[in-house]
Amino acid sequence: MLWRCCLVLIGALCTPVLSKHLSNEEFREQVSLQTLQDGRVASTFSFNILLKDATPREPRTLIFDDESQHYNLFPLALGQILREYAVTELHLTLNAGKWNYDSWGYPKERDVGTGAALWAWMADGGPTSIDYRWQGLRNALAGLFCASIGSLDEQRTTSPVLPFAPEGSLPDWGVEHELRHASLASEHVCTENLTPFLKLLPCKSLSGIASLLNPHRLFDADWHGMGLHVLWNPDAGVEVRLAFQLVSDPLRISAGKKQDWSFSTLFDRTIERTCPVAQSSIVDVALPREALYNISPEPPRIDQNVAFYDLTNMSEALDVKLKWALDFTYPLDPLKITSMPISVRRTLQGASQDRGQLSLVIKNNAPFPLQVLYLETMPWIVQFYLHTMRVSSDTSGDDFISNISYVPSVPHSRPATFQAVLTLPTESTVYLTIDVTKAFLRYTEHPPDAQRGWDLPPAIILPLSSSNAIRSEFVGRIYTPPLLVDLATPDFSMPYNVIVFSCSLIAFIFGNIFNLLTRKFVVVRLGSQQGTSKSKHD
Amino acid sequence: MSSDSPFWLRKLTAINSRLFPRGDANLTRLKRRQALFAAIGRRLPLLRTLLFVAGYLWILAIPTLPGQGTYIDENALLPGQVNTNWNWAEVHAADRYLDHIEKLRDDNATSEQRAKYFAEEFKKLGIPASTQNYTFSTVFGDSSGTNAYATMSAPRSPGVEAMVISASWLSRTGEGAGSLNLRGVSTVLALAGFLRRYSFWAKDLVFVISDDYLEGMQAWLSAYHGISQSNLHTNDLDLSSGVIWTALSIDYPGHSFSHLGMFHEGLNGRLPNQDLLNSFIHISKYSGGVPVILYDYVDHQEYPDQYDLLPSWIPASVRQHPDVKGYLYRFKNVLRHGRYQARGIGSGVHALFHQFRIDAFTIFALPATGPHGFHAIGRIIESTLRTTNNLLERLHASFFFYILTDPDNFLKIGLYLPSAILISVAMMLTGLSLWVEAGWTTSGDKKSTDKKWTRRKRPILHVLAIMISTHLLGVTMFYLVNNKLFFRSRICPVAVMLITAVPPIYAIFIPAASPSDAPLSVVLKALNLCFASTVISITTVLNFSLAASMAILLGIPLSVSPTSSRRARPKTVYYIAYALFGLGWLVLCPEGVRKAVLDWETLGVWFGPFLCIVIAPLVLQAGVVCILV
């Protein structure tokens, strides 16, 4: 009894302190679940932490000691990195899988490029160069997220300003802001990346919405990805958004019959308690449009066919269940339902190890012409022959491509950046092909891993908002799947064969030439025989 | 050395002075080298014969050579280490598909209708699917069809690697003679519905139901890899996936099967990595409980009656001996392998994959009254796919050059390669000795030891002109054969054969060499043999069976063409014999010619052009030697 009294007392004393500190930090969490037309379920978790009235560090102040950092909700490990390298805006995504735009439509979290991608806006003018800070940022984030972001070196770093415009605002310090972008398609995202991600959350995965993030289920999904977005809003402050997105397939479990799902089937968990520091904690479920279904528990609020559950005053464990009356049948033409304006297919053709052809097929499904920005950030191991670029379409016309900008690659150091605006006529397909040559690597440039080929980063298609009549929800980067390129590779698993063959060859050639160079040629008489003379090597 | 020293001492001193002679070391070395060459030269006919005999015997002995047991080299494969889930519900699904497909067959559905049905079934399973129309235009007219294919994206994978599971509409029975692969197609459909239920796939699964026997798959693979073929008209594929690493082709023509046959030879003599085959054999035997055989030859111990092949005059004790039967069993396997590889035709749909660095083989369900069916084949394929799914890198560890004598034993390249090389060395030695002979002539008394050797000029340019002209003639012949008109009437092959008359006429008009020069025939034969030997040696590492066939067929005939006029009275008879030997197939096996032309046009099999442009001219050159004598 005494104990309980003490606890109450301590709690009463602490509350004003906590709320005071909390007043300049804000944490909101939300999960959106949506049934996709192919029966899969897309869940998007987003955790927003706002540091009110804060500003990013100005690089010119890097020469001074930084002000001390005290946060209650804002992740300190991340805050230290942001201030140490004076990063204004930061985006990091770690995704696994191929987002199927044709059947899943646009994702809620737009950046779904396979593997790791990191881009940051940083201001110049500091004591150290932007590239130096970029390198530090990469290594720090690599440590924080247990990912190979550290290997996103200058061989992968580009600066495509147009498709990666800042999402927040850039402070006006009178110095230029620059973009650094790099992606690593071969990064495998798994549980070792999730643990540090959860550590950045105020309630970890112990309570609130984050308690659904059960690694056993997340990494069994068809697609999963996490993102970290830091941006500055002059009216609000520094905002951190941690997002986790996954696409699960309830039909896989039910042998292709029922698409019913619940928190327990999707995540093997329910939400037991709320996160006490969350200002808002919302579950929203997009309800099916043309089907008989049953959702339980009964949603307190339904707005525009979306059911909302507020967790802040939750009394019992929440396990949202959605059940359909009828068995599921797959739609035969998925595109009709998702109404994606654009379908993209990018392939690397040709079976040889020295050259090939990059082919991009973009189909405009919309009943109006579209303009898109096409971006390739290609590592130098694949080099474009720009003069072989051919653009054609199944409709008449010829100026499908304009505003080409090309930063050629530099072997062994810099990737190429290819940007162009493609004009897609109404309901037509545009084909772009370009011949490429595959590099011959120095032997130290081969990675020591299993030799499966080199992953090329995804291409990015950005529908330009200047196009008429395009709906706002269709503005966002579209990522193509990555490509795998086979370069000429020695069989490193058999070093002795290689050594034996190459040494024999060298010894043979060297021996012969050395012999010829150092010999003296004289005439030798063979005594009584025939009297003929022969030249003789000695 | 005094004469009274003992015999042994004298002998030792002689040996010593021979080994360590006094005087100029260089001079002795030269003398020693001359003596050595003279010794070899004297025994050259014997050496040659020995090499020929050893080579031919070695080839005959290939089935009995002490090979080694197959084993799995790539640790990542882990064959047969999984529990399979394919069960009777999936067998039922396969049976339902089979009912539909049989109905399609009975309704005489067109390729397009069939492909549409397959694509729709894939879509009903939630797998994106599409069809591909193609037309091959060849000298025999156009042939078109429609493929259906589906790409299942693996969960969480970027979709850059893929595995193919395919079935062609026509079975490989009789090399695509017309029996339908209905159960193979149903297996693929049922597998698609079954495999998509699992999340452990690391690579995309691509299901292809190709039309026809080989043509459909060739069209699909060309379109998939963006390879343009001038006589293939096809549309782009709507769906794409990643780099294909492995492919299985399923061929299940009968009602049930007793064994699973394995076909692995690819186009132009390529072979898949042996690890893939070994994994399948391991899985089939130990996980699936189905015995594996090579091709459709059952084991000699299980079915000894099938190997009673020797003529009846041989005593039964020999005929019935298990070792003899074992030899015949392995001989049949090796011969079948050689027949596929030498002609470069490949033994099934899998053959087309190898040209794109995809390891592939065909699983052939040997038709029988039992005991296995969909249940066994599904489990085995599921397990095999799980194995190939484990690969972190392309198959590279095991062998690419091998001969399987039976499913569990194989010969490494070092064991069989020397056989053809020995014959080619014998031919090379014959050629070189003739070359020396052509360059030198003796004068004076033959018996006296004091022969006078004088050099003479070799008319190389004339000889090269003859050789090049025969090869050009081969090119012309190839273009004539590769023509619409050639197959119109039976006279054409005879007419084309008549061009063999050109080289002798041409050779006769070559200005006679001055008597002091070497005779044309000797130089021609020397160069012909050296060239043939070089071609054989090079071909051994590209396509051993082709090289071995060339060694067997050309070795003796090219070496024995007469070079002295005394033995070659009826010159034209000799020539005609050679011409028939080199080009007789034009008239004698029109079906073979037809197939070679078709294979070249649709699949790019080099055997036809190689035969016309390289092999036949070599034989004609030997014939010209007889004319020139």
Side-chain angles (χ1 to χ4, degrees):
Chain A
M1 194 61 201
L2 190 68
W3 268 110
R4 190 169 289 181
C5 282
C6 285
L7 278 175
V8 169
L9 193 68
I10 293 168
L13 283 173
C14 290
T15 316
V17 183
L18 262 175
S19 54
K20 182 174 173 280
H21 269 279
L22 288 177
S23 62
N24 61 350
E25 286 172 53
E26 218 177 83
F27 175 58
R28 293 170 189 279
E29 53 177 10
Q30 183 164 17
V31 60
S32 313
L33 292 109
Q34 186 190 4
T35 303
L36 304 170
Q37 53 88 25
D38 62 356
R40 290 180 170 89
V41 180
S43 324
T44 312
F45 295 79
S46 77
F47 307 94
N48 284 282
I49 306 167
L50 178 67
L51 198 59
K52 281 183 193 162
D53 306 324
T55 46
R57 190 175 186 187
E58 199 195 326
R60 278 177 296 201
T61 63
L62 280 171
I63 42 172
F64 308 115
D65 279 349
D66 197 14
E67 60 200 65
S68 55
Q69 296 167 54
H70 293 294
Y71 308 119
N72 286 308
L73 304 175
F74 196 87
L76 178 65
L78 182 66
Q80 283 173 335
I81 293 173
L82 294 172
R83 304 227 28 118
E84 172 73 25
Y85 301 106
V87 182
T88 307
E89 184 169 325
L90 168 78
H91 300 270
L92 168 71
T93 58
L94 294 166
N95 300 320
K98 180 167 68 171
W99 187 272
N100 187 348
Y101 287 93
D102 286 356
S103 5
W104 302 346
Y106 256 116
K108 278 230 165 63
E109 286 289 333
R110 292 294 156 86
D111 295 300
V112 292
T114 306
L118 174 69
W119 66 101
W121 282 92
M122 290 186 278
D124 208 350
T128 49
S129 72
I130 289 183
D131 284 314
Y132 183 78
R133 277 150 55 208
W134 166 245
Q135 187 190 355
L137 175 69
R138 275 171 0 221
N139 291 333
L141 286 173
L144 187 60
F145 279 97
C146 293
S148 345
I149 310 168
S151 61
L152 293 173
D153 52 3
E154 52 285 353
Q155 292 197 26
R156 296 186 170 268
T157 303
T158 55
S159 185
V161 175
L162 225 49
F164 290 97
E167 283 175 28
S169 306
L170 303 179
D172 183 19
W173 291 321
V175 283
E176 286 270 308
H177 268 83
E178 282 186 33
L179 171 75
R180 290 291 179 274
H181 175 271
S183 63
L184 187 67
S186 54
E187 173 71 16
H188 288 282
V189 185
C190 202
T191 188
E192 77 273 17
N193 310 114
L194 180 71
T195 312
F197 175 90
L198 291 175
K199 276 189 182 169
L200 300 180
L201 300 175
C203 295
K204 318 289 182 248
S205 64
L206 298 170
S207 61
I209 282 164
S211 60
L212 293 179
L213 293 172
N214 170 12
H216 286 275
R217 285 308 173 89
L218 302 185
F219 300 119
D220 185 47
D222 278 9
W223 189 95
H224 62 79
M226 60 184 84
L228 164 70
H229 307 274
V230 182
L231 44 100
W232 178 66
N233 193 337
D235 303 329
V238 173
E239 196 184 325
V240 171
R241 189 171 86 250
L242 290 148
F244 198 99
Q245 189 164 235
L246 76 150
V247 176
S248 358
D249 190 0
L251 289 152
R252 206 203 283 149
I253 306 152
S254 68
K257 291 219 170 55
K258 298 287 268 184
Q259 59 178 135
D260 303 349
W261 58 260
S262 66
F263 281 170
S264 12
T265 60
L266 290 182
F267 305 108
D268 201 19
R269 289 211 182 140
T270 56
I271 304 177
E272 306 280 342
R273 50 186 171 272
T274 53
C275 173
V277 293
Q279 295 221 325
S280 83
S281 187
I282 294 169
V283 175
D284 71 76
V285 180
L287 298 172
R289 283 181 188 276
E290 294 158 353
L292 285 172
Y293 66 92
N294 171 30
I295 185 163
S296 72
E298 191 62 35
R301 185 161 69 92
I302 296 183
D303 188 11
Q304 291 184 336
N305 218 33
V306 181
F308 290 92
Y309 297 88
D310 195 350
L311 299 184
T312 38
N313 34 25
M314 188 176 78
S315 52
E316 55 181 6
L318 181 69
D319 183 10
V320 179
K321 293 189 178 76
L322 195 59
K323 281 193 160 72
W324 273 258
L326 299 173
D327 279 0
F328 180 74
T329 50
Y330 282 98
L332 293 184
D333 191 0
L335 258 179
K336 273 201 181 126
I337 304 167
T338 54
S339 62
M340 270 297 286
I342 300 166
S343 315
V344 190
R345 203 170 75 241
R346 184 175 71 141
T347 46
L348 189 64
Q349 302 188 318
S352 83
Q353 291 182 335
D354 63 334
R355 47 192 61 221
Q357 192 180 51
L358 185 75
S359 142
L360 182 81
V361 181
I362 305 191
K363 192 161 178 250
N364 179 7
N365 305 316
F368 42 82
L370 278 176
Q371 277 206 323
V372 297
L373 185 71
Y374 167 48
L375 169 73
E376 284 281 359
T377 49
M378 195 55 87
W380 66 268
I381 51 172
V382 169
Q383 291 151 11
F384 293 144
Y385 286 121
L386 215 57
H387 68 283
T388 60
M389 186 171 68
R390 299 276 175 278
V391 185
S392 61
S393 168
D394 54 0
T395 56
S396 55
D398 51 359
D399 42 352
F400 302 112
I401 191 164
S402 56
N403 296 39
I404 300 173
S405 86
Y406 180 56
V407 183
S409 59
V410 176
H412 312 285
S413 72
R414 183 180 76 185
T417 313
F418 175 83
Q419 243 173 191
V421 173
L422 296 175
T423 309
L424 316 173
T426 310
E427 286 173 347
S428 66
T429 310
V430 170
Y431 304 87
L432 184 145
T433 59
I434 186 163
D435 288 357
V436 299
T437 178
K438 302 176 186 174
F440 190 79
L441 296 189
R442 296 172 185 157
Y443 84 101
T444 49
E445 285 170 337
H446 290 274
D449 340 340
Q451 178 44 54
R452 65 186 270 277
W454 278 258
D455 286 275
L456 303 180
I460 289 162
I461 309 286
L462 179 68
L464 295 176
S465 47
S466 60
S467 321
N468 56 334
I470 182 156
R471 280 190 281 161
S472 60
E473 64 187 278
F474 290 144
V475 182
R477 290 177 281 267
I478 296 176
Y479 290 81
T480 66
L483 296 171
L484 192 69
V485 59
D486 268 328
L487 304 182
T489 311
D491 191 345
F492 285 111
S493 65
M494 302 192 181
Y496 297 105
N497 292 2
V498 176
I499 291 168
V500 165
F501 274 119
S502 44
C503 289
S504 312
L505 200 70
I506 290 167
F508 182 70
I509 294 169
F510 171 78
N512 270 320
I513 291 178
F514 181 75
N515 233 337
L516 286 173
L517 287 177
T518 52
R519 267 190 183 182
K520 201 167 86 187
F521 290 87
V522 292
V523 174
V524 176
R525 301 265 165 221
L526 268 183
S528 57
Q529 276 195 339
Q530 300 159 10
T532 51
S533 66
K534 265 196 169 182
S535 66
K536 154 87 176 87
H537 322 288
D538 185 17
Chain B
M1 193 66 52
S2 60
S3 56
D4 55 337
S5 51
F7 168 75
W8 59 270
L9 190 58
R10 263 184 289 141
K11 206 69 190 166
L12 266 185
T13 328
I15 290 171
N16 185 43
S17 63
R18 214 179 165 104
L19 285 177
F20 307 102
R22 263 169 262 127
D24 189 350
N26 292 322
L27 208 61
T28 29
R29 200 167 65 218
L30 270 181
K31 278 182 182 160
R32 196 187 294 151
R33 189 186 290 168
Q34 271 187 343
L36 187 70
F37 282 155
I40 293 176
R42 270 199 309 280
R43 294 176 183 86
L44 196 58
L46 177 69
L47 189 67
R48 229 164 51 197
T49 321
L50 277 180
L51 283 170
F52 267 123
V53 170
Y56 283 115
L57 283 181
W58 196 322
I59 286 181
L60 265 184
I62 282 178
T64 57
L65 287 179
Q68 63 185 98
T70 57
Y71 59 96
I72 287 154
D73 210 343
E74 171 66 83
N75 292 321
L77 282 170
L78 301 172
Q81 300 290 307
V82 292
N83 289 322
T84 51
N85 297 315
W86 173 275
N87 219 318
W88 293 107
E90 285 71 45
V91 174
H92 178 72
D95 281 329
R96 294 285 73 75
Y97 283 124
L98 181 65
D99 291 345
H100 278 285
I101 297 169
E102 278 176 342
K103 193 164 178 305
L104 282 175
R105 175 200 60 188
D106 297 338
D107 293 350
N108 278 329
T110 60
S111 303
E112 206 145 343
Q113 286 168 329
R114 287 193 313 250
K116 219 172 155 187
Y117 166 76
F118 300 140
E120 208 149 282
E121 287 304 314
F122 282 124
K123 282 182 189 168
K124 281 183 195 164
L125 296 168
I127 306 173
S130 183
T131 58
Q132 179 210 11
N133 295 313
Y134 67 85
T135 308
F136 279 102
S137 39
T138 65
V139 293
F140 307 109
D142 289 357
S143 89
S144 49
T146 312
N147 298 320
Y149 65 99
T151 55
M152 189 196 110
S153 304
R156 301 178 302 285
S157 91
V160 292
E161 296 145 25
M163 304 186 278
V164 167
I165 301 118
S166 75
S168 55
W169 180 247
L170 290 186
S171 160
R172 65 156 312 289
T173 316
E175 314 297 331
S179 61
L180 301 181
N181 182 20
L182 301 182
R183 278 179 172 74
V185 174
S186 337
T187 311
V188 170
L189 283 168
L191 272 170
F194 167 70
L195 300 177
R196 85 165 293 285
R197 275 183 241 153
Y198 296 94
S199 73
F200 40 59
W201 300 113
K203 300 169 177 45
D204 284 5
L205 292 170
V206 182
F207 303 94
V208 186
I209 297 177
S210 58
D211 208 353
D212 212 289
Y213 175 46
L214 298 175
E215 288 176 4
M217 188 51 87
Q218 173 75 7
W220 188 83
L221 279 171
S222 302
Y224 191 90
H225 291 96
I227 307 291
S228 58
Q229 195 176 329
S230 60
N231 62 344
L232 167 64
H233 307 286
T234 174
N235 48 335
D236 281 352
L237 299 185
D238 301 328
L239 303 169
S240 61
S241 184
V243 181
I244 304 172
W245 280 5
T246 53
L248 301 184
S249 153
I250 301 160
D251 204 323
Y252 183 3
H255 177 270
S256 303
F257 61 93
S258 55
H259 297 73
L260 286 177
M262 194 175 68
F263 289 79
H264 59 284
E265 290 84 3
L267 290 189
N268 296 322
R270 291 187 187 90
L271 297 177
N273 193 287
Q274 214 194 40
D275 265 342
L276 182 67
L277 310 179
N278 295 344
S279 311
F280 164 69
I281 293 168
H282 183 94
I283 288 165
S284 181
K285 258 203 277 191
Y286 302 113
S287 299
V290 181
V292 180
I293 52 172
L294 285 182
Y295 317 107
D296 39 14
Y297 298 143
V298 288
D299 191 78
H300 64 104
Q301 282 160 332
E302 220 179 325
Y303 297 87
D305 299 345
Q306 299 227 6
Y307 292 92
D308 210 357
L309 303 167
L310 294 177
S312 52
W313 50 263
I314 292 174
S317 58
V318 175
R319 268 190 295 140
Q320 302 296 345
H321 196 278
D323 287 349
V324 173
K325 291 201 167 169
Y327 175 81
L328 287 174
Y329 166 64
R330 287 189 291 274
F331 184 79
K332 271 180 85 172
N333 284 334
V334 173
L335 189 68
R336 184 80 171 262
H337 168 81
R339 273 167 50 201
Y340 285 127
Q341 207 188 21
R343 286 182 296 162
I345 52 174
S347 51
V349 179
H350 66 276
L352 308 168
F353 286 91
H354 300 163
Q355 52 191 323
F356 301 105
R357 281 185 74 209
I358 303 166
D359 293 294
F361 69 99
T362 294
I363 299 172
F364 178 70
L366 187 71
T369 47
H372 304 294
F374 282 135
H375 190 255
I377 203 168
R379 283 181 63 194
I380 290 165
I381 294 167
E382 183 199 350
S383 190
T384 310
L385 287 172
R386 290 288 297 276
T387 286
T388 50
N389 187 48
N390 286 339
L391 281 177
L392 294 175
E393 44 192 326
R394 263 177 211 278
L395 284 167
H396 63 100
S398 186
F399 301 90
F400 281 102
F401 298 99
Y402 53 87
I403 292 179
L404 287 168
T405 49
D406 62 53
D408 300 320
N409 289 289
F410 76 105
L411 305 177
K412 282 185 185 177
I413 189 166
L415 268 178
Y416 59 81
L417 196 79
S419 57
I421 294 286
L422 283 181
I423 296 177
S424 101
V425 167
M427 289 166 77
M428 181 61 88
L429 286 181
T430 318
L432 287 179
S433 75
L434 282 170
W435 175 254
V436 174
E437 202 177 291
W440 296 88
T441 182
T442 49
S443 54
D445 193 2
K446 263 199 171 175
K447 278 166 196 160
S448 80
T449 48
D450 196 28
K451 274 190 288 189
K452 190 81 180 161
W453 288 91
T454 46
R455 295 207 64 150
R456 57 179 178 178
K457 270 172 78 178
R458 306 179 182 104
I460 298 172
L461 275 183
H462 291 314
V463 170
L464 280 183
I466 294 174
M467 289 176 73
I468 291 169
S469 69
T470 52
H471 288 287
L472 287 179
L473 207 67
V475 176
T476 322
M477 184 171 75
F478 177 64
Y479 274 102
L480 287 175
V481 172
N482 208 347
N483 197 305
K484 250 180 216 153
L485 300 172
F486 179 80
F487 296 95
R488 285 275 166 80
S489 76
R490 297 194 63 92
I491 308 194
C492 291
V494 183
V496 170
M497 267 211 74
L498 285 183
I499 64 170
T500 54
V502 177
I505 296 169
Y506 173 77
I508 285 162
F509 282 105
I510 280 184
S514 71
S516 60
D517 286 357
L520 270 178
S521 62
V522 180
V523 181
L524 177 60
K525 188 174 173 185
L527 289 187
N528 173 239
L529 279 168
C530 291
F531 184 48
S533 159
T534 314
V535 169
I536 291 173
S537 316
I538 293 171
T539 319
T540 43
V541 281
L542 297 174
N543 185 339
F544 172 75
S545 303
L546 181 60
S549 321
M550 280 170 68
I552 293 168
L553 292 173
L554 302 185
I556 301 270
L558 295 198
S559 305
V560 297
S561 62
T563 40
S564 71
S565 50
R566 186 162 42 82
R567 281 192 292 159
R569 268 306 99 197
K571 291 177 179 179
T572 38
V573 175
Y574 270 102
Y575 182 76
I576 289 169
Y578 273 105
L580 277 176
F581 177 58
L583 289 162
W585 43 268
L586 269 178
V587 182
L588 296 176
C589 50
E591 262 318 297
V593 177
R594 204 184 161 83
K595 189 162 165 28
V597 169
L598 196 63
D599 282 347
W600 162 249
E601 290 224 324
T602 53
L603 312 177
V605 173
W606 292 348
F607 179 68
F610 189 76
L611 182 62
C612 288
I613 297 169
V614 180
I615 302 181
L618 281 174
V619 180
L620 282 187
Q621 285 160 24
V624 175
V625 170
C626 308
I627 291 279
L628 287 175
V629 160

